[in-house]
C-alpha cells in the first residue's frame, strides 16, 4: 500500500506519518509538502532515512508537480493535511487560504480521479460549524450540524469540504472527511495556544490571552487523532463525514493556568489582549458516529496529554528554538504587540 500524505511536515501530518510507519510496516508513505512557515523538515528527521518513506517538496496547487508525483507513485490512498490553518493569519491574508485550501484540494482530487486512487481523505476542522453558546453545554457539533463559518480560514475549509462531497456525488470519487477538534502534542507550531504559552512561560515572557480567556475548545491529543484517521481511511464509509472529538472541553484561561502550574511559573505572566475579530466562543464535538461505526474513542485525557506535551517541549528545545526566531518573531510582534 502506498499513501501520499500532503502537509506531512506540519504538526498533525508529521504525527500521522510517524503513526502509519509504525502501525503498518508494509506501507510506503510519500510526504508532499511545500515547506511554508509551518512546514518544518527537521520534524521529519527521524524518518528521512526510512526506506519506506519519501519526501517531495511541492505545492498542492501545482498541477504539474502533483500529477507528476501521482503518475510516478500510483498511490492507493491520499490523505490531505496540507492547509493554511491559522485564523489570525487568514484575517490578515485571506487570499492565500482560499488558494491553498480550496484550489489545492481540487488539484489533488483531479489527480486522484486521473490515477484511480482508492480513497481520498480530507482532514477538516470543527471550525466549519461556527461556534456554540457558552450557556448551552448540552449542545454539540454533529455531522449534520449546518456549516456556519466565522473566519476566512474556516470558510476556506468548509468550501473544500463541500467540494470533496461534490466530487463524490458528481464523479464517484471515493472520499471521506474528518472534522477534528483542537489538536495538541509534539511538534505543534509555536504560534498556537498551547506551545506558545509553554515556550513563553519557559522564558518568563508575557502570556497573551485573548479577551478574558473564556473561549472553550475541545482538545484532542494528536496521537488519538492519527489513530482515528487510520481507522477512517481503512474502514470508514465512502462519502461520509466523521467528527473526531477529544471529550476535553477547556477554557483557554484554564489551560494557561495549568501550564503555569506545571512549569512552576506565576500567573502574573498572563496578559489579557484585545480579542480576535469574530472569535468563536465554544467548540464541542459529538464523536458518537465514529465510535459507533468504527469503535474509536480518545485514549488520552487532557491531564495526561498536557503533561506529555510540556515534557516534549522541555526535551526538544533544538526543534522549537530556531522557529521562534526570525520570521515568526516578527509575526508574533505584529499580531500581539498592538493588542494590549
Amino acid at each position: 500500500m502506498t499513501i501520499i500524505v500532503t502537509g506531512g511536515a506540519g504538526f498533525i501530518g508529521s504525527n500521522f506519518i510517524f503513526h502509519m510507519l509504525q502501525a503498518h510496516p508494509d506501507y510506503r508513505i510519500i510526504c508532499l509538502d511545500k515547506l511554508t512557515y509551518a512546514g518544518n523538515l527537521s520534524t521529519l528527521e527521524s524518518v528521512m532515512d526510512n526506506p519506506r518513506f519519501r519526501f517531495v517538496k511541492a505545492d498542492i496547487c501545482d498541477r504539474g508537480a502533483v500529477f507528476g508525483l501521482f503518475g510516478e507513485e500510483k498511490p492507493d490512498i491520499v490523505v490531505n493535511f496540507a492547509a493554511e490553518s491559522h485564523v489570525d493569519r487568514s484575517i490578515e491574508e485571506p487570499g492565500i487560504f482560499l488558494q491553498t485550501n480550496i484550489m489545492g484540494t481540487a488539484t489533488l482530487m483531479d489527480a486522484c480521479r486521473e490515477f484511480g486512487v482508492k480513497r481520498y481523505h480530507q482532514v477538516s476542522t470543527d471550525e466549519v460549524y461556527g461556534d456554540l453558546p457558552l450557556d448551552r453545554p448540552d449542545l454539540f457539533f454533529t455531522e449534520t450540524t449546518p456549516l456556519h463559518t466565522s473566519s476566512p480560514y474556516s470558510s476556506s475549509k468548509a468550501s473544500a469540504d463541500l467540494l470533496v462531497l461534490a466530487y463524490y456525488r458528481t464523479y464517484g470519487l471515493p472520499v471521506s472527511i474528518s472534522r477534528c477538534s483542537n489538536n495538541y502534542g509534539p511538534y505543534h507550531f509555536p504560534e498556537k495556544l498551547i506551545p506558545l504559552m509553554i515556550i513563553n512561560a519557559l522564558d518568563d515572557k508575557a502570556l497573551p490571552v485573548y479577551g478574558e480567556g473564556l473561549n472553550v475548545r475541545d482538545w484532542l491529543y494528536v496521537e488519538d487523532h492519527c489513530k482515528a484517521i487510520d481507522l477512517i481511511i481503512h474502514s470508514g464509509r465512502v462519502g461520509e463525514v466523521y467528527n473526531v472529538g477529544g471529550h476535553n472541553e477547556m477554557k483557554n484561561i484554564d489551560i494557561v493556568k495549568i501550564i503555569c502550574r506545571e512549569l512552576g511559573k506565576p500567573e502574573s505572566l498572563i496578559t489579557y489582549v484585545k480579542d480576535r475579530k469574530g472569535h468563536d466562543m465554544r467548540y464541542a464535538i459529538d464523536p458518537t458516529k465514529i465510535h459507533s461505526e468504527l469503535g474509536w474513542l480518545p485514549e488520552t485525557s487532557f491531564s495526561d496529554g498536557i503533561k506529555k506535551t510540556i515534557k516534549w517541549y522541555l526535551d526538544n528545545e533544538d526543534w522549537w528554538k530556531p522557529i521562534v526566531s526570525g520570521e515568526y518573531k516578527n509575526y508574533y510582534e505584529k499580531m500581539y504587540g498592538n493588542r494590549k
Side-chain angles (χ1 to χ4, degrees):
M1 185 83 76
T2 297
I3 300 180
I4 288 181
V5 178
T6 67
F11 166 44
I12 308 175
S14 61
N15 277 280
F16 181 71
I17 288 171
F18 302 148
H19 165 77
M20 294 299 287
L21 286 171
Q22 183 173 1
H24 303 281
D26 56 338
Y27 282 21
R28 190 159 178 270
I29 308 295
I30 316 300
C31 173
L32 187 160
D33 199 296
K34 185 182 178 182
L35 295 181
T36 57
Y37 72 94
N40 192 335
L41 203 53
S42 67
T43 302
L44 298 169
E45 186 176 347
S46 64
V47 298
M48 290 298 282
D49 293 330
N50 189 318
R52 296 188 293 115
F53 176 77
R54 177 189 175 193
F55 176 81
V56 177
K57 184 179 186 297
D59 185 344
I60 60 170
C61 296
D62 184 339
R63 293 182 72 87
V66 169
F67 275 65
L69 180 62
F70 277 57
E72 184 180 348
E73 293 290 353
K74 304 294 193 297
D76 300 283
I77 297 172
V78 174
V79 182
N80 181 27
F81 291 94
E84 294 284 349
S85 65
H86 196 256
V87 174
D88 285 335
R89 287 181 184 266
S90 79
I91 293 170
E92 294 293 313
E93 299 180 275
I96 297 172
F97 285 69
L98 305 182
Q99 181 68 22
T100 297
N101 298 353
I102 302 173
M103 297 309 299
T105 296
T107 299
L108 290 171
M109 290 193 297
D110 286 342
C112 288
R113 291 178 57 217
E114 177 73 20
F115 294 98
V117 169
K118 298 180 180 69
R119 174 67 67 95
Y120 172 85
H121 183 76
Q122 178 77 0
V123 180
S124 188
T125 170
D126 58 358
E127 294 189 44
V128 300
Y129 297 122
D131 64 349
L132 296 166
L134 293 177
D135 60 355
R136 288 294 306 275
D138 57 311
L139 295 180
F140 295 88
F141 297 136
T142 70
E143 289 81 359
T144 59
T145 299
L147 304 186
H148 189 70
T149 61
S150 305
S151 69
Y153 161 62
S154 57
S155 296
S156 68
K157 292 297 287 185
S159 300
D161 286 3
L162 293 174
L163 194 62
V164 170
L165 294 174
Y167 269 61
Y168 168 64
R169 179 163 181 172
T170 302
Y171 304 113
L173 184 68
V175 306
S176 52
I177 298 172
S178 57
R179 293 174 180 153
C180 67
S181 54
N182 284 42
N183 280 220
Y184 69 103
Y187 299 106
H188 203 175
F189 194 72
E191 70 184 355
K192 304 291 186 169
L193 176 69
I194 289 178
L196 175 64
M197 297 302 151
I198 293 171
I199 291 168
N200 276 20
L202 286 173
D203 288 339
D204 295 307
K205 292 181 178 178
L207 307 179
V209 174
Y210 282 131
E212 298 177 45
L214 301 180
N215 307 72
V216 173
R217 299 294 182 261
D218 176 19
W219 291 93
L220 176 66
Y221 194 61
V222 66
E223 289 181 6
D224 291 339
H225 185 198
C226 294
K227 291 176 182 178
I229 296 172
D230 187 0
L231 275 172
I232 294 169
I233 62 177
H234 288 99
S235 304
R237 289 184 290 147
V238 169
E240 292 292 320
V241 175
Y242 292 91
N243 281 353
V244 184
H247 283 307
N248 283 309
E249 285 188 60
M250 299 283 294
K251 293 178 184 175
N252 287 351
I253 188 61
D254 291 339
I255 289 178
V256 179
K257 289 179 179 179
I258 288 171
I259 291 170
C260 287
R261 186 167 64 247
E262 290 291 330
L263 292 173
K265 299 294 184 177
E267 291 183 10
S268 58
L269 289 174
I270 297 172
T271 303
Y272 296 95
V273 300
K274 185 178 178 181
D275 208 353
R276 166 193 292 162
K277 297 175 182 177
H279 201 174
D280 290 335
M281 290 308 299
R282 173 176 173 254
Y283 302 149
I285 273 184
D286 179 357
T288 299
K289 180 176 178 178
I290 190 172
H291 174 57
S292 60
E293 289 192 16
L294 304 178
W296 179 88
L297 281 175
E299 301 171 15
T300 310
S301 68
F302 188 80
S303 59
D304 289 339
I306 194 66
K307 287 182 175 70
K308 290 165 68 174
T309 301
I310 290 172
K311 185 179 186 305
W312 188 89
Y313 279 88
L314 288 170
D315 294 342
N316 291 273
E317 289 188 0
D318 58 335
W319 180 81
W320 58 261
K321 278 201 168 179
I323 296 174
V324 298
S325 61
E327 177 192 346
Y328 173 66
K329 187 176 181 180
N330 294 336
Y331 164 78
Y332 176 88
E333 290 298 327
K334 178 181 178 183
M335 294 311 302
Y336 296 106
N338 61 358
R339 288 179 178 266
K340 296 178 182 178

